[in-house]
Amino acid sequence: MSSPAAVWRPVVTEVLRERVGAGESIWLPIRGRSMRPLLGPGARIFVTPPARVRFGDLLAYEREGALVCHRVIGRRGAARLTRADHRGAGPEVVAAAQIVGVVAAFERDGVAVDLFTPRRRVLATLAAARSLAAAACLALRRRAWPRA
């Protein structure tokens, strides 16, 4: 028998996709460690409709029925190349149909941070460049780069 989370996760993800697709922005709690040190347990993200997806943005997308938040480090046609901020993670190709929204802000320890300020855009671009370089080094070691 499937766990309740496995059964409900795709349903909740679809509801979130519909709400953001209708133009709503939503605060969502974060689970997991993939975006540490920026985001961790107890943090929340503010997901907005994806009008424009840029290098360095945090992208909320659907993967196997779950909602995932990773940084955009490249483009493969209409697809985006994303990667978690933590070390050791490989890049992942995200099709346009998987994209739910873009993270416009986050809240950690009761403090909200707007990710679209000029300073935060520069920091996001630097984080994405560092992540892209790390992904390239990882791919060279493994002799593999994700395909669209």
Side-chain angles (χ1 to χ4, degrees):
M1 177 177 222
S2 297
S3 72
V7 172
W8 285 104
R9 187 173 293 136
V11 174
V12 170
T13 300
E14 188 57 33
V15 169
L16 294 173
R17 176 187 287 281
E18 287 175 10
R19 287 185 62 192
V20 173
E24 290 184 53
S25 298
I26 302 171
W27 282 101
L28 298 172
I30 290 293
R31 286 186 28 214
R33 301 178 194 173
S34 69
M35 293 305 294
R36 279 189 178 174
L38 182 66
L39 303 172
R44 296 187 318 154
I45 57 174
F46 189 62
V47 179
T48 62
R52 181 177 176 195
V53 179
R54 299 178 293 185
F55 183 76
D57 280 349
L58 296 182
L59 195 62
Y61 61 95
E62 184 179 358
R63 180 180 63 197
E64 299 174 3
L67 201 60
V68 177
C69 175
H70 286 163
R71 189 173 304 280
V72 176
I73 63 167
R75 186 178 196 152
R76 295 270 194 252
R80 299 294 192 271
L81 192 61
T82 67
R83 184 171 184 265
D85 279 356
H86 75 80
R87 295 177 184 210
E92 183 173 337
V93 176
V94 178
Q98 291 175 267
I99 298 172
V100 174
V102 175
V103 178
F106 69 88
E107 182 184 70
R108 181 178 56 200
D109 300 326
V111 177
V113 177
D114 180 356
L115 294 176
F116 292 159
T117 65
R119 178 177 182 272
R120 282 289 172 177
R121 286 294 317 142
V122 168
L123 292 173
T125 301
L126 291 173
R130 183 180 64 237
S131 191
L132 179 59
C137 289
L138 188 65
L140 285 173
R141 280 190 293 223
R142 295 180 181 170
R143 297 182 187 268
W145 192 255
R147 304 273 181 225

